[in-house]
Amino acid sequence: MFKPIGKGFPGAMLSEVLLVSAPGKVILHGEHAVVHGKVALAVSLNLRTFLRLQPHSNGKVDLSLPNIGIKRAWDVARLQSLDASFLEQGDVTTPTSEQVEKLKEVAGLPDDCAVTERLAVQAFLYLYLSICRKQRWTKEDLELINKWAFQGERMIHGNPSGVDNAVSTWGGALRYHQGKISSLKRSPALQILLTNTKVPRNTRALVAGVRNRLLKFPEIVAPLLTSIDAISLECERVLGEMGEAPAPEQYVVLEELIDMNQHHLNALGVGHASLDQLCQVTRARGLHSKLTGAGGGGCGITLLKPGLEQPEVEATKQALTSCGFDCLETSIGAPGVSIHSATSLDSRVQQALDGL
Ligand code: MEV
């Protein structure tokens, strides 16, 4: 999958297509509790977002970020002016203010450009110049990507735990506890439905709401967080056991853990009528669901146990779609952020990259 993009700049940019993808992710257990120092389990999904940097014979290079609707084109000569100050710096951590100014100038975005688009393009250029031109991504490069993703999270909701950016960077199934990340060995390839209720939510406000509830009712809310911690630990234990010797009873335990956590999350005040509906629709078909992430709308996950017939899965998806939700069937445990060769992508991805 890995395609070196050449050592030298601008040769790499003139002659090579750069394709990068990152996995979607869900939190299995521990959202919100993780902000208060408890354990969370997070997994990457086999659903990916892509970006492409494509040179053309007319001396232009196109950046396409189809999942956030961004397409930009630059003169290669303009990008070349970023030259040695980015290339020769050795260890890269944070751009200097001089570099930020250069990035802004070269990005050449219009004044009315949305802040998110501006930052996405500048961050891309910086990471491209600092990391992507390397022959391979080292652990240190991935750590840098993770740090940048964390900064993005901070902009979105102020005080993130770091679990979301970590799982998208490293992929697989992770245990996250107070900034310490370890990967779950031998976790099973669970099938899930990921349902987007399409109800917008404000992660910052939801995280603040849980904090306020904890301050207002410490004797009530602290035990809920402790119980969620125990759910994460039990889930970790069962996943480990399933990786060794899968058995149907383990799915029953996973389902019970999902139900208990969903009730706790409701008690923390991060539920929503749309999520209750999602749980009811799947419960009527013998399936168990919980919210994932911040709650208050957003997405939920439903565990698909082995042996479930495909028509039943399709009927469940249809029932959820009829509620106005988007529903995708996927599996957990995909690779983290990755470089691809242009030929390795399927035609749907190519079309999305071409067709903004
Ligand atoms: C949001 O995806 C997960 C939360 O636990 C916040 C965080 O961990 O930063 C709600």
Side-chain angles (χ1 to χ4, degrees):
M1 295 287 273
F2 176 75
K3 180 159 163 71
I5 59 165
K7 268 201 157 120
F9 178 84
M13 202 172 249
L14 280 169
S15 58
E16 306 273 358
V17 176
L18 171 68
L19 284 160
V20 176
S21 75
K25 53 84 207 164
V26 291
I27 298 180
L28 286 183
H29 291 291
E31 50 272 273
H32 288 288
V34 69
V35 176
H36 301 275
K38 309 297 185 195
V39 172
L41 299 182
V43 291
S44 56
L45 299 178
N46 279 298
L47 297 169
R48 305 188 76 79
T49 56
F50 285 84
L51 78 74
R52 181 182 67 191
L53 191 69
Q54 184 168 43
H56 295 284
S57 52
N58 62 1
K60 297 247 183 218
V61 60
D62 282 345
L63 169 68
S64 171
L65 301 166
N67 302 88
I68 50 172
I70 290 180
K71 199 159 187 160
R72 311 278 337 157
W74 295 287
D75 287 331
V76 170
R78 201 165 159 76
L79 289 184
Q80 283 172 8
S81 68
L82 286 176
D83 65 28
S85 60
F86 284 87
L87 297 179
E88 307 302 336
Q89 34 174 351
D91 279 353
V92 207
T93 46
T94 317
T96 62
S97 49
E98 195 184 84
Q99 286 176 328
V100 171
E101 284 314 308
K102 272 196 188 171
L103 287 172
K104 281 187 192 160
E105 190 190 315
V106 171
L109 298 164
D111 288 346
D112 61 352
C113 172
V115 174
T116 43
E117 177 167 350
R118 185 180 299 282
L119 291 173
V121 171
Q122 285 166 16
F124 164 76
L125 277 176
Y126 180 66
L127 287 173
Y128 175 74
L129 291 163
S130 311
I131 302 174
C132 290
R133 64 187 188 83
K134 291 191 176 175
Q135 293 282 333
R136 65 179 64 243
W137 285 346
T138 61
K139 188 167 165 279
E140 287 71 35
D141 293 330
L142 289 169
E143 270 158 12
L144 180 63
I145 291 173
N146 188 35
K147 275 190 203 159
W148 273 81
F150 181 69
Q151 294 307 322
E153 284 279 286
R154 286 187 62 197
M155 293 188 67
I156 295 165
H157 69 91
N159 182 27
S161 63
V163 63
D164 291 325
N165 45 284
V167 72
S168 291
T169 304
W170 303 104
L174 299 183
R175 172 196 218 266
Y176 191 94
H177 186 213
Q178 298 183 346
K180 283 197 219 77
I181 305 164
S182 51
S183 63
L184 303 192
K185 308 221 163 36
R186 295 178 164 276
S187 92
L190 302 180
Q191 289 290 124
I192 60 160
L193 295 180
L194 176 69
T195 302
N196 183 358
T197 64
K198 298 199 252 177
V199 173
R201 43 106 176 81
N202 180 334
T203 302
R204 187 187 285 265
L206 287 153
V207 169
V210 173
R211 186 174 302 281
N212 290 340
R213 203 168 263 202
L214 177 62
L215 291 172
K216 193 169 172 188
F217 305 110
E219 302 291 324
I220 299 168
V221 175
L224 289 174
L225 299 177
T226 305
S227 177
I228 292 175
D229 190 62
I231 289 174
S232 294
L233 296 181
E234 177 64 2
C235 182
E236 182 185 6
R237 191 192 65 73
V238 175
L239 291 178
E241 209 177 85
M242 289 171 95
E244 300 279 336
E249 311 83 74
Q250 292 150 346
Y251 276 89
V252 178
V253 175
L254 290 186
E255 289 173 342
E256 286 182 273
L257 296 177
I258 285 175
D259 291 343
M260 288 190 282
N261 198 357
Q262 176 62 17
H263 287 302
H264 285 348
L265 288 161
N266 272 323
L268 291 179
V270 297
H272 188 269
S274 62
L275 293 162
D276 292 342
Q277 193 182 11
L278 189 167
C279 292
Q280 277 155 18
V281 167
T282 55
R283 189 75 194 95
R285 294 171 182 275
L287 300 175
H288 298 251
S289 307
K290 67 175 274 291
L291 70 85
T292 182
C299 290
I301 50 173
T302 306
L303 183 64
L304 299 176
K305 39 194 166 197
L308 200 64
E309 302 287 338
Q310 196 56 31
E312 188 47 31
V313 176
E314 291 305 325
T316 308
K317 281 161 75 176
Q318 187 51 52
L320 291 166
T321 310
S322 309
C323 301
F325 305 152
D326 284 343
C327 185
L328 296 166
E329 185 182 348
T330 187
S331 57
I332 69 165
V337 65
S338 313
I339 296 187
H340 304 267
S341 72
T343 49
S344 68
L345 297 185
D346 76 25
S347 54
R348 279 177 317 147
V349 176
Q350 292 285 7
Q351 274 164 19
L353 287 161
D354 289 340
L356 276 174

